[in-house]
Amino acid sequence: MKITGMNRRFLPVAFACLLVSSAGDAQTLWRQYGFDSAHTSFNPSETALSPMTVGRLAPFWTSDTFKAAATSPTLGPGAVFVANDGRVRAFDKETGAARWAHLSCSGEGTQQPAFNRDLVLVADGGGDLAAYKSFNGKQVWCDDESGSITSAPAVSGDTVFITNGVDAIAIDQFTGQQHWRFTSADFAPLNTTPAIANGVVFVTGGNSVFALDGITGRKVWRRNLGPQANISSASVANGLVYVGGSALYALRSEERRVGKECRSR
């Protein structure tokens, strides 16, 4: 895929790290969007930050080498990964020193990375998904998934899940080989980060929430939520699928009916 030109004007964007300790427990690593594949954004192993200690947060280090705003960071053992300006970057977790930077496959619209089993997985607006070695940035594979990927990849087990605007796709993280591809019969848009829980993949787009079989990609159910201006990715916890849009929706993950709807006044 042709690499497009990028804006070379320097922008003084800083990436700051605020820490009270450097926990070494692998369970505390924020490996992907929403912490885990279900996007709960809850880290049960976090013990340093609490309502009692959060007021004592202070700058630990800052990187100010960016040319454009960065994505949310992803945390791996010893390194922090971000994407910006068509690149994926790694910084030392303790010092903020740059470790490596690599141009994404298309060099445009890089999304928040995911980290799993020593691989950093990065999608971009050119429709490409790639895997890089976490310790040196060496590209392992790059594959054009077509369309445009405008949300972060999700990882569950050894499989990476993405959407490209039209399809939901499951890919082997080590080889880049496609496991399955789902396209709605009416070509409903699919453009948010998939959520995975109990072998089911939940994807959203347009006005709908889809539940797909994680092994085959077969549609389990679809729920139309009515007109949505900007539907969110799903988050799954305790058998409920939560989706934001024109309201906050909670759906039972094993069936189609909406369990609760909360509208802001």
Side-chain angles (χ1 to χ4, degrees):
M1 183 170 290
K2 183 179 179 180
I3 297 175
T4 60
M6 289 180 287
N7 184 2
R8 299 299 179 186
R9 181 171 61 88
F10 179 79
L11 298 177
V13 179
F15 173 50
C17 181
L18 302 176
L19 295 176
V20 292
S21 72
S22 56
D25 186 355
Q27 296 303 315
T28 67
L29 299 181
W30 201 283
R31 297 172 179 266
Q32 60 184 305
Y33 169 82
F35 181 69
D36 51 27
S37 60
H39 310 329
T40 63
S41 296
F42 174 66
N43 183 354
S45 300
E46 176 59 59
T47 59
L49 290 175
S50 71
M52 298 296 294
T53 63
V54 70
R56 299 198 296 271
L57 283 172
F60 189 56
W61 54 257
T62 301
S63 170
D64 58 359
T65 59
F66 295 167
K67 295 180 180 178
T71 65
S72 297
T74 299
L75 185 60
V80 180
F81 306 102
V82 296
N84 83 313
D85 196 31
R87 291 172 169 79
V88 56
R89 304 173 186 272
F91 296 87
D92 187 275
K93 185 176 70 173
E94 297 299 327
T95 67
R99 286 191 173 184
W100 54 263
H102 201 295
L103 195 69
S104 76
C105 292
S106 73
E108 59 182 70
T110 42
Q111 302 300 314
Q112 180 182 358
F115 170 81
N116 192 44
R117 302 198 182 186
D118 294 326
L119 291 179
V120 180
L121 300 140
V122 182
D124 63 41
D128 295 311
L129 179 68
Y132 303 87
K133 288 288 187 182
S134 62
F135 54 89
N136 61 9
K138 180 181 179 181
Q139 189 178 95
V140 179
W141 56 264
C142 175
D143 192 58
D144 185 355
E145 305 300 340
S146 74
S148 179
I149 305 172
T150 57
S151 58
V155 183
S156 181
D158 295 335
T159 303
V160 190
F161 299 88
I162 61 168
T163 59
N164 67 357
V166 177
D167 311 308
I169 310 168
I171 301 152
D172 185 283
Q173 77 158 39
F174 296 112
T175 66
Q177 180 178 352
Q178 180 179 299
H179 292 320
W180 53 257
R181 179 183 294 253
F182 169 81
T183 308
S184 174
D186 61 354
F187 298 100
L190 299 174
N191 49 23
T192 62
T193 300
I196 306 96
N198 300 318
V200 181
V201 180
F202 300 94
V203 292
T204 64
N207 302 328
S208 298
V209 182
F210 293 84
L212 311 176
D213 185 284
I215 301 298
T216 66
R218 179 183 61 86
K219 184 181 75 174
V220 179
W221 54 256
R222 174 182 182 174
R223 175 72 189 197
N224 190 316
L225 300 178
Q228 304 292 318
N230 188 20
I231 197 167
S232 75
S233 297
S235 297
V236 186
N238 301 320
L240 291 175
V241 182
Y242 299 92
V243 177
S246 60
L248 174 61
Y249 303 90
L251 298 86
R252 294 194 185 279
S253 61
E254 74 276 8
E255 55 184 309
R256 290 176 228 185
R257 68 185 178 87
V258 174
K260 186 177 293 186
E261 179 177 318
C262 305
R263 294 188 180 273
S264 58
R265 299 294 181 181

